[in-house]
Amino acid sequence: MSHTAFVSIGDLRRGKAAPGRVVEAAAGGCSTRGAAGKASCGSSAGPDDMPPAIWEKVKNHPCYSEEAHHHYARMHVAVAPACNIQCNYCNRKYDCSNESRPGVVSQKLTPDQAVKKVLAVASEIPQMTVLGIAGPGDALANPARTFETFRRLNEHAPDIKLCLSTNGLALPQYVDEICRYDIDHVTITINMVDPVVGAKIHPWIFWDHRRVTGLEAAQILHEQQMKGLEMLTSRGVLTKINSVLIPGINDAHLIDVNREVKKRGAFLHNIMPLISEPEHGTVFGLAGQRGPSAQELKAVQDACAGGANLMRHCRQCRADAVGLLGEDRSDEFTLDRIDRMEVVYDLDRRRAYQDKVERERQAQHQAKVDALAEAGNADAPDDGMRVLVAVATEGHGKVNQHFGHATEFQIYEVGARSAVFVGHRRVDLYCRGGYGEDEQLPSIVHAIGDCHAVLVSKIGACPRDELTAAGIEPVDRYAHEFIERAVLDWFSHYRQRVARGAIVHQPRGDARIRQGAYCGGTGVAAA
Ligand code: CLF
Ligand code: SF4
């Protein structure tokens, strides 16, 4: 597609983009898998990849474990309205963009209301295992409200993992308090390790009772972030680093960020695309700063292979999100609805339900391992050919969604012996009220334009034709099969067709990352 620029890893390392060049993804690192088919690292890692104490912390955290996010839910409470820095991709009318898509407004809560809401959600959604405070400003710029909420939840909901997200400026002074309330997971947004880069992203900070600007501000922010990260690591708190990828400003630099945070013990690195629209009213949006294309994002993530493990399933949630990642049930838990609910926080019932979820997750995990092991033992040589395949799924690890019902597609990178989840693409719903919205089709095609095929449980004639014309093969013969098995089998047939000359293998182009507010129809206002 001509509207997107391509950028290679070499160009990224040299700090420049190269329009017109197609990226060859780096093999190995976080995306590689062992012979047994298990993940070697990254958020796809399993119990054999880490010490048991760490596995306990991540196994049912939907952000720290890619597999867990299909089964376990998180919720956020928006108790932290103020912020102590300015980011050029943020408009304070909306939620903190470090953990949410710009343009989203959450309902602000007092700690009292927040605790009530968490207990109500926990009684209705027993697989909700994590409570996060991620804004709408910065959690640590509102320490009294943040820690009062955590203190009370630590007491009243002991089985819920506590999670905090911060820009890091005030982090060092609150590490003791973070440990006091057993907050085992902390996200720090780190967009730079060089204040010269930082000054282009963060124009000022509020520090020592005054506003500090420019290089001095970026230098202080950088030092506080690094110090806070080191302190958390030394105390055994798991850290995830969020970085917003801003083309032309910190794209190549994020490779250095990845290396530096790994050195300081970060558990995961989540590189998120800048979402930049003029209507969001941010400095970057108004200045026309664009976000990355799908391949540009993937190129930076792939270039970080071998560094800090990567998270690739982030959905850029809102500050009052409730539910599985990718779904939002916050509308079901407004304050007036909670007032009418009978809240019974039944620990035994929650544990029993989670045991059931865990058994289902293990069965799916085994199916995935088996499919990958089978592919690993196959006779076909791995000639290095890799393609991307989009999958429509409602969960359970299966190809089980109608094309028209998909609001996002999971993306797998498939080779002769490997099938690796590399991200997802949000799209607008094609099918509404029983008929297809043909004007949505071009945007869906653009969102998966770098894929060779899309696997769905069913698809109508019109989208089938349009996808085929765009060079994306619509495939519905794997309905209700496990994803890894399906994509590997499809790829094996693809290679056979190429080998006998029935089709010619051609590299695909790039894909667009969805910028605007979601307008699907599942109750999500904007995400
Ligand atoms: Fe929330 Fe963040 Fe904790 Fe997760 S989200 S505070 S670590 S519980 Fe998760 Fe949402 Fe991405 Fe954040 S998908 S935006 S990474
Ligand atoms: Fe906005 Fe979050 Fe940055 Fe504060 S830290 S300016 S709330 S994006």
Side-chain angles (χ1 to χ4, degrees):
M1 273 171 279
S2 58
H3 62 272
T4 46
F6 296 98
V7 58
S8 75
I9 294 156
D11 293 324
L12 287 171
R13 290 194 187 280
R14 287 190 295 274
K16 66 172 185 147
R21 291 190 53 193
V22 179
V23 173
E24 279 306 315
C30 287
S31 297
T32 57
R33 287 174 184 266
K38 72 181 169 59
S40 56
C41 58
S43 65
S44 300
D48 299 336
D49 303 308
M50 61 187 83
I54 307 280
W55 175 243
E56 272 310 303
K57 289 183 183 178
V58 305
K59 70 175 186 188
N60 61 359
H61 193 308
C63 304
Y64 282 68
S65 160
E66 192 269 314
E67 213 175 83
H69 98 277
H70 300 290
H71 305 273
Y72 296 99
R74 54 76 184 99
M75 71 174 288
H76 291 163
V77 285
V79 295
C83 189
N84 47 6
I85 71 171
Q86 180 63 54
C87 306
N88 279 336
Y89 47 74
C90 178
N91 176 348
R92 293 294 180 67
K93 281 197 322 210
Y94 305 119
D95 287 1
C96 175
S97 300
N98 288 337
E99 286 248 32
S100 47
R101 292 170 80 84
V104 173
V105 184
S106 292
Q107 184 183 26
K108 295 181 192 66
L109 301 179
T110 64
D112 216 37
Q113 292 168 326
V115 172
K116 219 167 149 184
K117 182 171 177 179
V118 174
L119 297 180
V121 172
S123 77
E124 288 288 307
I125 308 179
Q127 69 274 39
M128 190 278 283
T129 48
V130 177
L131 176 275
I133 297 182
D138 186 76
L140 297 181
N142 303 262
R145 297 161 64 94
T146 294
F147 289 113
E148 173 64 4
T149 307
F150 280 137
R151 182 188 67 74
R152 291 172 57 182
L153 286 172
N154 196 26
E155 205 175 299
H156 295 295
D159 67 324
I160 293 181
K161 289 184 160 66
L162 303 178
C163 195
L164 175 152
S165 175
T166 177
N167 59 45
L169 181 65
L171 180 56
Q173 78 192 81
Y174 292 111
V175 168
D176 282 346
E177 215 145 347
I178 286 169
C179 295
R180 183 172 312 140
Y181 302 121
D182 299 326
I183 300 163
D184 269 341
H185 302 81
V186 173
T187 294
I188 316 169
T189 296
I190 300 179
N191 296 317
M192 52 85 194
V193 288
D194 175 355
V196 173
V197 177
K200 296 177 191 163
I201 304 170
H202 307 289
W204 58 259
I205 63 171
F206 197 73
W207 180 249
D208 205 13
H209 309 290
R210 69 186 174 102
R211 185 181 284 215
V212 181
T213 59
L215 263 185
E216 186 190 357
Q219 179 71 36
I220 294 168
L221 179 61
H222 166 60
E223 285 168 9
Q224 290 292 101
Q225 289 175 335
M226 295 299 121
K227 189 170 166 195
L229 172 56
E230 286 170 8
M231 289 170 79
L232 290 173
T233 300
S234 72
R235 304 284 289 267
V237 177
L238 285 191
T239 49
K240 172 171 73 61
I241 307 305
N242 280 2
S243 298
V244 180
L245 168 53
I246 310 160
I249 292 186
N250 71 348
D251 33 9
H253 183 62
L254 288 183
I255 300 164
D256 301 332
V257 171
N258 183 278
R259 190 185 52 243
E260 291 303 317
V261 300
K262 180 183 183 181
K263 225 190 274 174
R264 291 167 175 81
F267 182 77
L268 268 186
H269 190 192
N270 173 25
I271 299 176
M272 312 184 294
L274 172 73
I275 306 289
S276 186
E277 289 282 275
E279 61 262 33
H280 297 147
T282 64
V283 170
F284 281 155
L286 294 171
Q289 170 66 52
R290 70 173 180 92
S293 70
Q295 282 297 312
E296 285 173 327
L297 176 65
K298 185 172 181 298
V300 175
Q301 291 172 331
D302 289 347
C304 291
N309 299 333
L310 290 181
M311 172 187 189
R312 301 206 193 210
H313 61 283
C314 175
R315 301 301 201 280
Q316 292 173 271
C317 320
R318 47 192 293 157
D320 61 358
V322 175
L324 296 171
L325 304 191
E327 73 171 6
D328 194 340
R329 298 178 58 181
S330 52
D331 284 355
E332 294 171 42
F333 299 96
T334 53
L335 290 178
D336 53 330
R337 287 194 179 182
I338 289 169
D339 276 342
R340 295 196 298 272
M341 283 168 62
E342 194 192 338
V343 175
V344 183
Y345 188 80
D346 183 339
L347 205 51
D348 290 339
R349 185 176 151 259
R350 281 177 54 77
R351 283 194 178 127
Y353 192 90
Q354 286 175 27
D355 285 347
K356 199 177 112 209
V357 170
E358 196 51 38
R359 284 195 295 277
E360 187 186 322
R361 172 232 184 100
Q362 278 169 16
Q364 283 176 33
H365 176 77
Q366 199 50 50
K368 178 162 109 179
V369 169
D370 291 349
L372 290 166
E374 226 172 82
N377 293 331
D379 293 336
D382 186 352
D383 56 6
M385 187 197 286
R386 298 281 184 277
V387 301
L388 296 184
V389 174
V391 178
T393 175
E394 285 176 338
H396 308 289
K398 293 184 176 172
V399 181
N400 57 4
Q401 194 171 41
H402 193 301
F403 176 84
H405 298 164
T407 54
E408 67 173 35
F409 291 92
Q410 309 255 330
I411 308 296
Y412 283 78
E413 189 166 51
V414 194
R417 295 167 185 224
S418 63
V420 183
F421 169 83
V422 291
H424 63 92
R425 307 279 166 75
R426 292 190 72 97
V427 295
D428 285 331
L429 204 58
Y430 171 67
C431 184
R432 294 175 194 231
Y435 58 91
E437 293 274 1
D438 290 345
E439 62 271 27
Q440 306 286 23
L441 273 176
S443 73
I444 301 175
V445 169
H446 284 145
I448 57 172
D450 50 355
C451 297
H452 278 72
V454 54
L455 272 52
V456 298
S457 64
K458 213 170 171 196
I459 185 165
C462 185
R464 182 184 288 277
D465 291 347
E466 189 133 351
L467 286 162
T468 307
I472 305 166
E473 184 183 337
V475 183
D476 59 4
R477 65 178 180 275
Y478 298 105
H480 305 288
E481 290 199 20
F482 282 109
I483 293 172
E484 281 78 6
R485 192 172 292 285
V487 294
L488 283 162
D489 191 68
W490 172 83
F491 187 60
S492 151
H493 284 103
Y494 177 83
R495 284 162 54 96
Q496 287 167 21
R497 283 182 286 159
V498 172
R500 65 171 186 267
I503 54 172
V504 177
H505 172 64
Q506 282 178 331
R508 299 285 305 162
D510 206 341
R512 254 186 228 162
I513 292 176
R514 202 183 177 298
Q515 294 287 302
Y518 171 74
C519 52
T522 56
V524 183

